[in-house]
Amino acid sequence: MGQEITIDNEHDQVVDQQYQRAISSFEAIMLSQIELKRQLSDRLNGAIRTGLVILAIIAFSILVLLLTLSAQLNRISGVVEDMNVHFHSVSNQMELIDTYMANMERRVAMMEEIEEQMAVMTDEMRLILGDLQPMGGNISGIRSNVALVRDNIGQISVTIDQLNGHVQTMGQDMHRMGQPARSMNKMMPFFPW
């Protein structure tokens, strides 16, 4: 009976020791897992923080890029508006130049008529010279021919007055035609004209 109690005590002590060892092993395993989970969570938190910093940098870079693009678009829009204004002005000036060129063409057509009149006057002058040769001995003939000459000179004077008026008008048109070019030189002095 005493031996059975001793054996049971020894057996209980062995079981208690095994149980203590198992608990300490389990505790060590649990502590190591907890430590491992803590390290993993620290690393995950660090990675998340790094990712957030990188995302913040990317977002800031995108914001700067968008602001820069917006400023450039505003500048480009302003330049395009200025170009539209200048193109409109150039278009108006070109219309004026077309009008002046049409006027000049009409004046040139008038010059052809003046040339025809000058040819007629030249023929008349030749006739006058032909009439002056036989007038040496005939005073009455000279008087009649002088009257013809006076009439022809009157026509010449009228024609010259007309020619003078046309020349003055052409001079004014040339001055007006030069105005758009001077305006364009003031607007764009860097273009060679």
Coordinates of all heavy atoms in Angstrom, one line a residue, residues 86-152:
H86 N -4.8 90.0 -84.3 CA -3.9 90.5 -85.3 C -4.3 90.0 -86.7 O -4.2 90.7 -87.7 CB -2.4 90.1 -85.0 CG -1.9 90.8 -83.8 ND1 -1.9 92.2 -83.7 CD2 -1.3 90.3 -82.7 CE1 -1.3 92.5 -82.6 NE2 -0.9 91.4 -81.9
F87 N -4.7 88.7 -86.7 CA -5.2 88.2 -88.0 C -6.4 88.9 -88.5 O -6.5 89.2 -89.7 CB -5.5 86.7 -87.9 CG -4.2 85.8 -88.0 CD1 -4.1 84.8 -87.1 CD2 -3.2 86.1 -88.9 CE1 -3.0 84.0 -87.1 CE2 -2.1 85.3 -88.9 CZ -2.0 84.2 -88.0
H88 N -7.3 89.3 -87.6 CA -8.5 90.1 -88.0 C -8.0 91.4 -88.5 O -8.6 91.9 -89.6 CB -9.4 90.2 -86.8 CG -10.7 90.9 -87.1 ND1 -11.6 90.3 -87.9 CD2 -11.2 92.1 -86.8 CE1 -12.7 91.2 -88.1 NE2 -12.4 92.3 -87.4
S89 N -7.1 92.0 -87.9 CA -6.6 93.3 -88.3 C -5.9 93.2 -89.7 O -6.1 94.0 -90.6 CB -5.6 93.9 -87.3 OG -5.0 95.1 -87.8
V90 N -5.1 92.2 -89.9 CA -4.4 91.9 -91.1 C -5.5 91.7 -92.2 O -5.4 92.2 -93.4 CB -3.4 90.8 -91.0 CG1 -2.9 90.4 -92.4 CG2 -2.3 91.2 -90.2
S91 N -6.5 90.9 -91.9 CA -7.6 90.7 -92.9 C -8.3 92.0 -93.3 O -8.5 92.2 -94.5 CB -8.6 89.7 -92.3 OG -9.7 89.5 -93.1
N92 N -8.5 92.9 -92.3 CA -9.1 94.2 -92.7 C -8.2 95.0 -93.5 O -8.6 95.6 -94.5 CB -9.5 94.9 -91.4 CG -10.6 94.3 -90.6 OD1 -11.4 93.6 -91.2 ND2 -10.7 94.6 -89.3
Q93 N -6.9 95.0 -93.2 CA -5.9 95.7 -94.0 C -5.9 95.2 -95.4 O -5.7 95.9 -96.4 CB -4.5 95.7 -93.3 CG -4.5 96.3 -92.0 CD -4.8 97.8 -92.0 OE1 -4.5 98.5 -93.0 NE2 -5.3 98.4 -91.0
M94 N -5.9 93.8 -95.5 CA -5.9 93.2 -96.9 C -7.1 93.6 -97.7 O -7.0 93.8 -98.9 CB -5.8 91.7 -96.8 CG -4.4 91.2 -96.2 SD -3.0 91.7 -97.2 CE -3.3 90.8 -98.7
E95 N -8.2 93.7 -97.0 CA -9.4 94.2 -97.8 C -9.3 95.6 -98.3 O -9.6 95.9 -99.4 CB -10.7 94.1 -96.8 CG -11.1 92.6 -96.6 CD -12.3 92.6 -95.6 OE1 -12.7 93.7 -95.2 OE2 -12.7 91.5 -95.2
L96 N -8.7 96.4 -97.4 CA -8.4 97.8 -97.9 C -7.4 97.8 -99.0 O -7.6 98.6 -100.0 CB -7.8 98.6 -96.7 CG -8.8 99.0 -95.6 CD1 -8.0 99.7 -94.5 CD2 -9.8 100.0 -96.2
I97 N -6.4 97.0 -99.0 CA -5.4 96.9 -100.1 C -6.1 96.4 -101.3 O -5.9 97.0 -102.4 CB -4.3 96.0 -99.7 CG1 -3.4 96.7 -98.6 CG2 -3.4 95.7 -100.9 CD1 -2.3 95.8 -98.0
D98 N -7.0 95.5 -101.2 CA -7.8 95.0 -102.4 C -8.6 96.1 -103.0 O -8.6 96.3 -104.2 CB -8.7 93.8 -102.0 CG -7.9 92.5 -101.8 OD1 -6.8 92.5 -102.3 OD2 -8.4 91.7 -101.1
T99 N -9.2 96.9 -102.1 CA -10.0 98.1 -102.6 C -9.1 99.1 -103.3 O -9.4 99.5 -104.4 CB -10.7 98.8 -101.4 OG1 -11.5 97.8 -100.8 CG2 -11.6 99.9 -101.9
Y100 N -7.9 99.4 -102.7 CA -7.0 100.3 -103.4 C -6.5 99.8 -104.7 O -6.3 100.5 -105.7 CB -5.9 100.7 -102.4 CG -6.3 101.4 -101.2 CD1 -5.7 101.2 -100.0 CD2 -7.2 102.4 -101.3 CE1 -6.1 101.9 -98.9 CE2 -7.6 103.1 -100.2 CZ -7.1 102.9 -99.0 OH -7.5 103.6 -97.8
M101 N -6.2 98.5 -104.7 CA -5.7 97.9 -106.0 C -6.8 98.0 -107.1 O -6.5 98.3 -108.3 CB -5.3 96.4 -105.8 CG -4.1 96.3 -104.9 SD -2.6 97.0 -105.7 CE -2.4 95.9 -107.1
A102 N -8.1 97.8 -106.7 CA -9.2 97.9 -107.7 C -9.2 99.3 -108.2 O -9.4 99.6 -109.4 CB -10.5 97.5 -107.1
N103 N -9.1 100.3 -107.3 CA -9.1 101.7 -107.7 C -7.9 102.0 -108.6 O -8.0 102.7 -109.6 CB -9.0 102.6 -106.5 CG -10.3 102.7 -105.7 OD1 -11.3 102.4 -106.2 ND2 -10.2 103.0 -104.4
M104 N -6.7 101.4 -108.3 CA -5.6 101.7 -109.2 C -5.8 101.1 -110.6 O -5.4 101.6 -111.6 CB -4.3 101.1 -108.6 CG -3.7 102.0 -107.5 SD -2.0 101.6 -107.2 CE -1.3 101.9 -108.7
E105 N -6.4 99.9 -110.6 CA -6.7 99.3 -111.9 C -7.6 100.2 -112.8 O -7.4 100.3 -114.0 CB -7.4 97.9 -111.7 CG -6.4 96.8 -111.2 CD -7.1 95.5 -111.0 OE1 -8.3 95.4 -111.2 OE2 -6.4 94.6 -110.5
R106 N -8.6 100.8 -112.1 CA -9.5 101.7 -112.8 C -8.7 102.9 -113.3 O -8.8 103.4 -114.5 CB -10.6 102.2 -111.9 CG -11.7 101.1 -111.7 CD -13.0 101.8 -111.2 NE -12.8 102.3 -109.9 CZ -13.0 101.6 -108.8 NH1 -13.3 100.3 -108.8 NH2 -12.9 102.1 -107.6
R107 N -7.8 103.4 -112.5 CA -6.9 104.6 -112.9 C -6.0 104.2 -114.1 O -5.8 105.0 -115.0 CB -6.1 105.0 -111.7 CG -6.8 105.5 -110.5 CD -7.5 106.9 -110.8 NE -8.1 107.4 -109.6 CZ -9.3 107.2 -109.2 NH1 -10.1 106.5 -109.9 NH2 -9.8 107.8 -108.1
V108 N -5.5 102.9 -114.0 CA -4.6 102.5 -115.1 C -5.4 102.4 -116.4 O -5.0 102.7 -117.5 CB -3.9 101.2 -114.8 CG1 -3.3 100.5 -116.0 CG2 -2.9 101.4 -113.7
A109 N -6.7 101.9 -116.3 CA -7.5 101.9 -117.5 C -7.8 103.3 -118.0 O -7.8 103.5 -119.3 CB -8.9 101.2 -117.1
M110 N -7.9 104.3 -117.1 CA -8.0 105.7 -117.6 C -6.7 106.1 -118.3 O -6.8 107.0 -119.2 CB -8.3 106.6 -116.4 CG -9.7 106.4 -115.9 SD -10.0 107.6 -114.5 CE -11.6 107.1 -114.0
M111 N -5.6 105.7 -117.8 CA -4.3 106.0 -118.4 C -4.3 105.6 -119.9 O -3.7 106.3 -120.7 CB -3.1 105.4 -117.7 CG -2.9 106.1 -116.3 SD -2.4 107.8 -116.4 CE -0.7 107.6 -117.1
E112 N -4.9 104.5 -120.2 CA -4.9 104.0 -121.6 C -5.7 105.0 -122.4 O -5.3 105.4 -123.6 CB -5.5 102.6 -121.7 CG -4.6 101.5 -121.1 CD -5.3 100.2 -121.1 OE1 -6.5 100.1 -121.6 OE2 -4.7 99.2 -120.6
E113 N -6.8 105.5 -121.9 CA -7.6 106.5 -122.6 C -6.8 107.8 -122.8 O -6.9 108.4 -123.9 CB -8.9 106.8 -121.8 CG -9.9 105.6 -121.8 CD -11.1 106.0 -121.0 OE1 -11.2 107.1 -120.5 OE2 -11.9 105.0 -120.8
I114 N -6.1 108.1 -121.8 CA -5.2 109.3 -121.9 C -4.2 109.2 -122.9 O -3.9 110.1 -123.7 CB -4.6 109.7 -120.5 CG1 -5.7 110.1 -119.5 CG2 -3.5 110.7 -120.6 CD1 -5.2 110.3 -118.1
E115 N -3.6 107.9 -123.0 CA -2.6 107.7 -124.1 C -3.2 107.8 -125.4 O -2.6 108.4 -126.4 CB -2.0 106.3 -123.9 CG -1.0 106.2 -122.7 CD -0.5 104.8 -122.5 OE1 -0.9 103.9 -123.3 OE2 0.3 104.6 -121.6
E116 N -4.5 107.3 -125.6 CA -5.1 107.5 -126.9 C -5.4 109.0 -127.2 O -5.1 109.4 -128.4 CB -6.5 106.8 -126.8 CG -6.4 105.2 -126.8 CD -7.7 104.6 -126.6 OE1 -8.7 105.3 -126.5 OE2 -7.7 103.3 -126.6
Q117 N -5.7 109.7 -126.2 CA -5.9 111.2 -126.4 C -4.6 111.9 -126.8 O -4.6 112.8 -127.6 CB -6.6 111.8 -125.2 CG -8.0 111.4 -125.0 CD -8.6 112.1 -123.7 OE1 -7.9 112.8 -123.0 NE2 -9.9 111.7 -123.5
M118 N -3.5 111.4 -126.1 CA -2.2 112.0 -126.4 C -1.8 111.6 -127.9 O -1.2 112.5 -128.6 CB -1.2 111.4 -125.5 CG -1.3 112.0 -124.1 SD -1.0 113.7 -123.9 CE 0.7 113.8 -124.1
A119 N -2.2 110.4 -128.3 CA -1.9 110.1 -129.7 C -2.6 111.0 -130.7 O -2.1 111.4 -131.7 CB -2.2 108.6 -130.0
V120 N -3.9 111.2 -130.3 CA -4.7 112.1 -131.2 C -4.1 113.5 -131.2 O -4.0 114.2 -132.2 CB -6.2 112.2 -130.6 CG1 -7.0 113.3 -131.3 CG2 -6.9 110.8 -130.8
M121 N -3.7 114.0 -130.0 CA -3.0 115.3 -129.9 C -1.7 115.3 -130.7 O -1.4 116.3 -131.4 CB -2.7 115.7 -128.4 CG -4.0 116.0 -127.7 SD -3.6 116.8 -126.1 CE -2.7 115.6 -125.3
T122 N -1.0 114.2 -130.7 CA 0.2 114.2 -131.5 C -0.1 114.3 -133.0 O 0.6 115.1 -133.7 CB 1.0 112.9 -131.2 OG1 1.3 112.8 -129.8 CG2 2.3 112.8 -132.0
D123 N -1.1 113.6 -133.4 CA -1.5 113.7 -134.8 C -2.0 115.1 -135.2 O -1.7 115.7 -136.2 CB -2.7 112.7 -135.1 CG -2.2 111.3 -135.0 OD1 -1.0 111.0 -135.2 OD2 -3.1 110.4 -134.8
E124 N -2.7 115.7 -134.2 CA -3.2 117.1 -134.4 C -2.0 118.1 -134.5 O -2.0 119.0 -135.3 CB -4.1 117.5 -133.3 CG -5.5 116.8 -133.4 CD -6.4 117.2 -132.3 OE1 -6.0 118.0 -131.4 OE2 -7.6 116.7 -132.4
M125 N -1.0 117.9 -133.7 CA 0.2 118.7 -133.7 C 0.9 118.5 -135.1 O 1.5 119.5 -135.6 CB 1.1 118.3 -132.6 CG 0.6 118.8 -131.2 SD 0.4 120.6 -131.0 CE 2.1 121.1 -131.0
R126 N 1.0 117.3 -135.6 CA 1.6 117.1 -136.9 C 0.8 117.9 -138.0 O 1.4 118.5 -138.9 CB 1.6 115.6 -137.2 CG 2.7 114.9 -136.4 CD 2.6 113.4 -136.8 NE 3.5 112.7 -135.9 CZ 3.5 111.4 -135.6 NH1 2.5 110.7 -136.1 NH2 4.3 110.8 -134.8
L127 N -0.5 117.8 -137.8 CA -1.3 118.6 -138.8 C -1.1 120.1 -138.7 O -1.0 120.8 -139.7 CB -2.8 118.3 -138.5 CG -3.3 116.9 -138.9 CD1 -4.8 116.7 -138.5 CD2 -3.2 116.6 -140.4
I128 N -0.9 120.5 -137.4 CA -0.7 122.0 -137.2 C 0.7 122.3 -137.9 O 0.8 123.4 -138.6 CB -0.6 122.3 -135.7 CG1 -2.1 122.2 -135.2 CG2 -0.1 123.7 -135.5 CD1 -2.1 122.3 -133.7
L129 N 1.7 121.5 -137.7 CA 3.0 121.8 -138.3 C 2.9 121.8 -139.8 O 3.5 122.6 -140.5 CB 4.0 120.7 -137.8 CG 4.5 120.9 -136.4 CD1 5.4 119.7 -136.0 CD2 5.2 122.2 -136.2
G130 N 2.1 120.8 -140.3 CA 1.9 120.8 -141.8 C 1.2 122.0 -142.3 O 1.4 122.5 -143.4
D131 N 0.3 122.5 -141.5 CA -0.5 123.7 -141.9 C 0.4 125.0 -141.7 O 0.2 126.0 -142.5 CB -1.7 123.9 -141.0 CG -2.8 122.9 -141.4 OD1 -2.7 122.3 -142.5 OD2 -3.6 122.6 -140.5
L132 N 1.4 125.0 -140.8 CA 2.2 126.2 -140.6 C 3.2 126.4 -141.8 O 3.5 127.6 -142.1 CB 3.0 126.0 -139.3 CG 2.3 126.3 -138.0 CD1 3.1 126.0 -136.8 CD2 1.7 127.7 -138.0
Q133 N 3.6 125.4 -142.5 CA 4.5 125.5 -143.6 C 3.9 126.4 -144.8 O 4.6 127.3 -145.3 CB 5.0 124.2 -144.1 CG 5.9 123.5 -143.1 CD 6.2 122.1 -143.6 OE1 5.8 121.6 -144.6 NE2 7.1 121.4 -142.8
P134 N 2.7 126.1 -145.2 CA 2.2 126.9 -146.3 C 1.7 128.3 -145.9 O 1.2 129.1 -146.7 CB 1.1 126.1 -146.9 CG 0.6 125.2 -145.8 CD 1.8 124.9 -145.0
M135 N 1.7 128.6 -144.6 CA 1.2 129.8 -144.1 C 2.1 131.0 -144.2 O 1.7 132.1 -143.9 CB 0.8 129.7 -142.6 CG -0.4 128.9 -142.3 SD -0.8 129.0 -140.5 CE -2.0 127.8 -140.4
G136 N 3.3 130.7 -144.7 CA 4.3 131.8 -144.8 C 3.8 133.0 -145.6 O 4.0 134.2 -145.3
G137 N 3.1 132.7 -146.7 CA 2.7 133.8 -147.6 C 1.2 134.2 -147.4 O 0.7 135.1 -148.1
N138 N 0.5 133.5 -146.6 CA -0.9 133.7 -146.5 C -1.3 134.0 -145.1 O -1.4 133.2 -144.2 CB -1.6 132.4 -147.0 CG -3.1 132.6 -147.2 OD1 -3.6 133.7 -146.9 ND2 -3.8 131.7 -147.7
I139 N -1.5 135.3 -144.8 CA -1.8 135.8 -143.4 C -3.2 135.3 -143.0 O -3.4 134.9 -141.8 CB -1.8 137.4 -143.4 CG1 -0.4 137.9 -143.8 CG2 -2.1 137.9 -142.0 CD1 0.7 137.5 -142.8
S140 N -4.2 135.4 -143.9 CA -5.5 135.0 -143.5 C -5.5 133.5 -143.2 O -6.2 133.0 -142.2 CB -6.5 135.3 -144.6 OG -6.1 134.5 -145.8
G141 N -4.7 132.7 -144.0 CA -4.6 131.3 -143.6 C -3.9 131.1 -142.3 O -4.3 130.2 -141.5
I142 N -3.0 132.0 -142.0 CA -2.3 131.9 -140.7 C -3.3 132.1 -139.6 O -3.3 131.4 -138.5 CB -1.1 132.9 -140.6 CG1 0.0 132.4 -141.6 CG2 -0.6 133.0 -139.2 CD1 1.1 133.4 -141.7
R143 N -4.2 133.2 -139.8 CA -5.1 133.5 -138.7 C -6.1 132.3 -138.5 O -6.4 132.0 -137.3 CB -5.9 134.7 -139.1 CG -5.1 136.0 -138.9 CD -5.9 137.2 -139.4 NE -5.1 138.4 -139.3 CZ -5.4 139.6 -139.8 NH1 -6.5 139.7 -140.5 NH2 -4.6 140.6 -139.6
S144 N -6.6 131.7 -139.6 CA -7.5 130.6 -139.4 C -6.7 129.4 -138.7 O -7.3 128.7 -137.8 CB -8.1 130.2 -140.7 OG -7.0 129.7 -141.6
N145 N -5.5 129.2 -139.1 CA -4.7 128.1 -138.5 C -4.4 128.4 -137.1 O -4.4 127.5 -136.2 CB -3.5 127.8 -139.3 CG -3.8 127.1 -140.7 OD1 -4.7 126.4 -140.8 ND2 -2.9 127.4 -141.7
V146 N -4.2 129.7 -136.8 CA -3.9 130.0 -135.4 C -5.1 129.8 -134.5 O -5.0 129.3 -133.4 CB -3.4 131.5 -135.3 CG1 -3.4 132.0 -133.8 CG2 -2.0 131.7 -135.8
A147 N -6.3 130.1 -135.1 CA -7.5 129.8 -134.4 C -7.7 128.3 -134.1 O -8.1 127.8 -133.0 CB -8.7 130.3 -135.1
L148 N -7.3 127.5 -135.1 CA -7.3 126.0 -134.9 C -6.3 125.6 -133.9 O -6.6 124.7 -133.0 CB -7.0 125.3 -136.3 CG -8.1 125.3 -137.3 CD1 -7.5 124.7 -138.6 CD2 -9.3 124.6 -136.9
V149 N -5.2 126.2 -133.9 CA -4.2 125.9 -132.9 C -4.7 126.3 -131.5 O -4.5 125.5 -130.6 CB -2.8 126.6 -133.2 CG1 -1.8 126.5 -132.1 CG2 -2.2 126.1 -134.5
R150 N -5.3 127.4 -131.4 CA -5.8 127.8 -130.1 C -6.9 126.8 -129.6 O -6.9 126.5 -128.4 CB -6.5 129.2 -130.2 CG -5.4 130.3 -130.2 CD -6.1 131.7 -130.3 NE -5.1 132.7 -130.4 CZ -5.4 134.0 -130.8 NH1 -6.6 134.3 -131.1 NH2 -4.4 134.9 -130.9
D151 N -7.7 126.4 -130.5 CA -8.7 125.4 -130.1 C -8.1 124.1 -129.7 O -8.4 123.5 -128.6 CB -9.7 125.1 -131.3 CG -10.6 126.3 -131.6 OD1 -10.8 127.1 -130.7 OD2 -11.1 126.3 -132.7
N152 N -7.1 123.7 -130.4 CA -6.3 122.4 -130.1 C -5.6 122.6 -128.7 O -5.6 121.7 -127.9 CB -5.4 122.0 -131.2 CG -6.1 121.5 -132.4 OD1 -7.2 121.0 -132.3 ND2 -5.5 121.7 -133.6

